[in-house]
């Protein structure tokens, strides 16, 4: 029996399982840019991201962060807890890059005085617009205590991951997180992979993330494999 597809995203598909509290995630080989307007297939990308995200989520779980991951079913499939996803992309930035550099005409790589946390409203139709705290509150997307909790978790996760990646000679420039509600708690959902963060080699400052695809500056699968190799190196 094939599972029922309930959501097809840009990088992952979500299926129902026999257990109504659990979902199956299948990582796809597709990469998209410009909110899906540019699409390409990269055989092996799904497996790489599933493996990279698993290593990072395992590390976060070991350090007290609650997540939706239950277990991996194969190299590109995961069983996860079903949550009520909060429709916000939570972006945290340690250094200037991407849309921040463009918006304020800043130099790529400049260090920030403090990390920046930004919210974007998850909507393909609207191209995920920026949304501020008072809009999140007024539109009933999250309560003030939920906003505070999510920001706090993002900062905690940042502290953990900056150290984790530095140990692998990688600088964590910025990243995107998503959260979901489950049993009166907010837990980390989605994935953490080079698709949704910027990682720079500490020496060369070369990108080891999806900027390779966005800026057409290298081989995506080769680059993601390099990230996995660093994470698994003894
Ligand atoms: P940005 O510089 O394009 O705003 O992206 C900031 C970080 O958030 C970067 O690591 C990529 C990630 N991100 C996503 O994962 N999904 C998105 O839809 C966006 C806009 C950014």
């Amino acid at each position: 029996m094939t599972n029922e597809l309930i959501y097809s995203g840009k990088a992952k598909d979500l299926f129902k399982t026999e257990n109504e509290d659990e979902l199956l995630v299948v990582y796809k080989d597709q990469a998209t840019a410009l909110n899906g307007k540019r699409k390409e297939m990269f055989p092996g990308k799904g497996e790489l991201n599933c493996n990279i995200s698993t290593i990072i989520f395992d590390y976060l779980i070991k350090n007290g962060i609650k997540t939706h991951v239950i277990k991996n079913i194969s190299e590109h499939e995961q069983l996860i807890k079903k949550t009520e996803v909060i429709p916000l992309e939570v972006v945290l930035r340690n250094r200037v890059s991407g849309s921040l550099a463009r918006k304020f005409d800043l130099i790529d790589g400049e260090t920030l005085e403090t990390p920046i946390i930004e919210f974007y409203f998850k909507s393909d139709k609207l191209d995920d617009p920026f949304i501020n705290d008072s809009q999140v509150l007024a539109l009933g997307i999250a309560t003030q205590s939920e906003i505070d909790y999510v920001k706090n978790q993002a900062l905690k996760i940042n502290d953990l991951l900056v150290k984790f990646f530095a140990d692998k000679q990688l600088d964590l420039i910025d990243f995107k997180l998503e959260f979901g509600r489950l049993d009166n708690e907010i837990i980390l959902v989605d994935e953490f992979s080079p698709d949704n963060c910027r990682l720079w080699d500490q020496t060369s400052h070369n990108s080891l993330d999806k900027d390779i695809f966005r800026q057409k500056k290298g081989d995506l699968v080769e680059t993601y494999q390099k990230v996995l190799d660093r994470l698994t190196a003894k």
Side-chain angles (χ1 to χ4, degrees):
M1 195 191 83
T2 46
N3 292 313
E4 184 189 336
L5 177 72
I6 53 169
Y7 178 75
S8 184
K10 295 184 200 105
K12 296 186 290 295
D13 285 335
L14 266 185
F15 295 88
K16 278 189 180 172
T17 66
E18 302 80 58
N19 183 337
E20 64 171 37
D21 298 330
E22 298 177 358
L23 297 174
L24 177 72
V25 186
V26 179
Y27 285 72
K28 302 203 271 200
D29 284 341
Q30 178 174 277
T32 66
L34 307 169
N35 209 26
K37 286 173 205 80
R38 205 178 127 222
K39 248 185 227 170
E40 242 178 88
M41 293 302 284
F42 293 94
K45 171 181 175 281
E47 267 192 38
L48 284 165
N49 274 358
C50 183
N51 281 307
I52 292 169
S53 190
T54 300
I55 292 169
I56 294 167
F57 268 57
D58 280 351
Y59 166 79
L60 292 174
I61 292 164
K62 277 196 195 94
N63 284 281
I65 304 294
K66 292 196 175 156
T67 84
H68 70 163
V69 172
I70 300 171
K71 62 176 179 185
N72 286 19
I73 303 289
S74 76
E75 292 291 315
H76 65 291
E77 294 167 305
Q78 265 177 344
L79 204 58
I80 59 159
K81 294 175 193 162
K82 186 175 168 183
T83 63
E84 182 197 341
V85 175
I86 300 172
L88 292 176
E89 303 208 328
V90 180
V91 168
L92 189 146
R93 301 175 192 273
N94 292 308
R95 309 248 297 258
V96 172
S97 198
S99 68
L100 185 74
R102 292 193 295 276
K103 189 171 182 178
F104 296 108
D105 192 20
L106 298 170
I107 297 161
D108 230 42
E110 233 173 80
T111 306
L112 296 161
E113 304 271 331
T114 60
I116 293 175
I117 297 177
E118 295 166 1
F119 291 141
Y120 294 86
F121 179 57
K122 272 172 71 70
S123 163
D124 286 341
K125 192 175 105 192
L126 303 173
D127 267 359
D128 301 343
F130 176 85
I131 184 166
N132 72 15
D133 291 26
S134 81
Q135 289 171 324
V136 170
L137 263 179
L139 299 179
I141 294 165
T143 64
Q144 188 60 54
S145 66
E146 287 179 326
I147 294 172
D148 294 344
Y149 183 79
V150 159
K151 285 186 177 176
N152 214 345
Q153 283 297 94
L155 288 169
K156 247 191 217 172
I157 290 167
N158 185 46
D159 283 346
L160 288 167
L161 291 183
V162 164
K163 288 192 202 101
F164 176 79
F165 286 116
D167 197 41
K168 285 87 175 83
Q169 287 74 53
L170 291 166
D171 279 333
L172 180 60
I173 306 301
D174 57 30
F175 58 86
K176 184 263 295 182
L177 303 173
E178 296 186 25
F179 293 89
R181 301 183 183 97
L182 180 68
D183 302 334
N184 295 316
E185 272 192 316
I186 291 183
I187 63 175
L188 181 65
V189 301
D190 196 45
E191 67 179 89
F192 198 107
S193 75
D195 267 7
N196 38 52
C197 70
R198 287 194 173 91
L199 289 172
W200 291 2
D201 178 84
Q202 279 188 339
T203 314
S204 67
H205 307 301
N206 287 338
S207 296
L208 290 163
D209 56 58
K210 201 166 121 181
D211 274 350
I212 290 286
F213 171 69
R214 293 188 192 98
Q215 299 167 13
K216 302 183 184 170
K217 58 182 182 183
D219 184 306
L220 180 140
V221 170
E222 225 172 72
T223 303
Y224 286 22
Q225 183 66 55
K226 276 188 202 159
V227 173
L228 182 60
D229 290 346
R230 289 217 196 175
L231 300 191
T232 53
K234 292 278 177 271

